Amino acid sequence: MNATAPIADGRVRVSLPELIALRSRVARAPAPPVVSRAQRSGQKPSRLHGRGMDYAESRVYQAGDDVRRMDWRLTARSGVAHTKLFQEEREGRLLILLDTNASMRFGTRTRFKSVQAARAAAMAAWYAVRGSDRVGVLAFGAQRQLLRPQGGAHGALAVAGAIATWDGLPPGGDETLSAALQRAGRLMHGASRVLLISDGFAVDDAARGRMLGLVAKAEVAVLAVADPLELGEPPAGRYPFAHRGTHYDVVLHGDRQRADFARSLGEGNRRLTELCTGLGLRQRTLDTTADPLDAIVALLGTARGR
């Protein structure tokens, strides 16, 4: 084992056993709504799930109807040939869009934002497959990789494994949200829903237009991950920071100094909130000390469709 390899402690690095263990937490949450016989949100219909179909109604037989769909009981009762009509039971696909930019590797309480985002993504995966959806994940930022949607426990395990693996890789450069959304639009693989998990620092001027394009294809929800220090003005004091092996202190005493510091730290969350508000997207904010489950259920557990 490489002595310099990062330790998956669940605080600054993602712990795969923890992501897998979150399955039991999700199992105790309210069950996702069953969605069938309806086109899911977005302009494109979702993929058909095998040959499963729900009965809708019967009507008088017409030339060309499949004789295997004959409603023999109604035909016998009425004396007129009838055929059954069905509505397709559609399979949902969730694509998690996960921010891995350098800004996510920050935390002052409990864990890094990157670790909290991984926990939320794993819970979303377990919750999605519990509702019989397929689930995949697209990383943007320091990692730019795709795991295509898969179904069942295998799909959620694959998401957890991919996230843990990516977390341990050497980081690349940052990526804007608009670039990530453009890639997501090309790599949907039939996804009917998208869950963006980000701290918002990647939001750029072009993100709104790209998001509009994505919303036309799928239902989009947003989970904003933030450190508690990013959500309010810090009290006066000395704050030690470390970045890539360099340690330094930030001393905050004056009101203006503290306000400027809070404004700088909270910029990502403000950008993401403004984007969601302007487009009417469902959004929840999750700090690094909280349990992600309530936010995941709130974003993914409501009945889909417009």
Side-chain angles (χ1 to χ4, degrees):
M1 180 178 177
N2 188 346
T4 63
I7 299 174
D9 58 0
R11 293 181 298 168
V12 301
R13 290 291 180 178
V14 172
S15 167
L16 179 58
E18 180 187 10
L19 300 188
I20 295 173
L22 290 173
R23 179 182 188 178
S24 62
R25 288 277 298 111
V26 174
R28 295 193 292 272
V34 176
V35 181
S36 63
R37 298 193 304 169
Q39 179 174 317
R40 292 177 183 255
S41 181
Q43 294 181 350
K44 293 189 177 181
S46 57
R47 302 286 182 87
L48 297 183
H49 177 41
R51 299 181 63 144
M53 289 192 271
D54 292 340
Y55 170 77
E57 61 179 335
S58 294
R59 62 160 169 77
V60 174
Y61 178 85
Q62 297 177 6
D65 284 350
D66 189 341
V67 295
R68 293 174 296 180
R69 307 291 189 189
M70 291 293 293
D71 187 338
W72 295 111
R73 290 186 179 180
L74 183 55
T75 297
R77 290 199 307 268
S78 65
V80 179
H82 281 73
T83 187
K84 294 180 179 179
L85 300 180
F86 294 84
Q87 291 179 292
E88 299 89 351
E89 180 181 351
R90 299 185 183 277
E91 174 192 59
R93 297 191 180 203
L94 171 67
L95 180 66
I96 301 169
L97 190 54
L98 182 65
D99 191 342
T100 65
N101 279 304
S103 63
M104 297 291 289
R105 292 196 179 277
F106 174 81
T108 65
R109 301 287 190 279
T110 310
R111 56 181 66 87
F112 275 9
K113 289 184 289 183
S114 56
V115 174
Q116 184 71 317
R119 297 173 74 240
M123 281 191 168
W126 288 118
Y127 193 71
V129 300
R130 186 181 170 197
S132 300
D133 282 2
R134 288 176 175 264
V135 62
V137 58
L138 175 66
F140 72 96
Q143 303 299 329
R144 304 179 189 183
Q145 304 193 51
L146 170 70
L147 177 72
R148 297 182 180 184
Q150 303 175 55
H154 175 77
L157 283 170
V159 168
I163 292 172
T165 298
W166 298 341
D167 185 73
L169 295 177
D174 283 348
E175 183 179 13
T176 63
L177 181 58
S178 63
L181 294 173
Q182 185 176 28
R183 283 198 299 119
R186 297 196 308 264
L187 302 172
M188 295 286 287
H189 291 286
S192 53
R193 292 188 293 164
V194 173
L195 174 64
L196 169 63
I197 303 177
S198 172
D199 65 358
F201 281 99
V203 175
D204 56 336
D205 292 340
R208 188 180 191 280
R210 298 294 186 194
M211 184 65 84
L212 280 171
L214 193 62
V215 168
K217 297 180 179 180
E219 181 179 346
V220 180
V222 178
L223 182 62
V225 179
D227 183 85
L229 199 60
E230 298 173 335
L231 297 176
E233 188 171 304
R238 182 184 298 271
Y239 293 84
F241 286 87
H243 179 66
R244 296 181 178 178
T246 301
H247 296 262
Y248 57 94
D249 289 343
V250 174
V251 181
L252 303 175
H253 288 309
D255 291 343
R256 181 173 179 180
Q257 190 180 30
R258 290 162 50 212
D260 289 345
F261 185 75
R263 189 178 302 109
S264 177
L265 280 184
E267 181 63 25
N269 189 263
R270 281 194 296 275
R271 291 183 202 167
L272 195 53
T273 298
E274 289 173 1
L275 178 66
C276 294
T277 301
L279 297 179
L281 302 179
R282 282 183 301 168
Q283 181 209 356
R284 290 291 186 278
T285 296
L286 175 72
D287 73 43
T288 56
T289 69
D291 184 343
L293 186 57
D294 287 345
I296 292 300
V297 172
L299 292 171
L300 301 181
T302 56
R304 276 87 82 184
R306 293 179 180 173

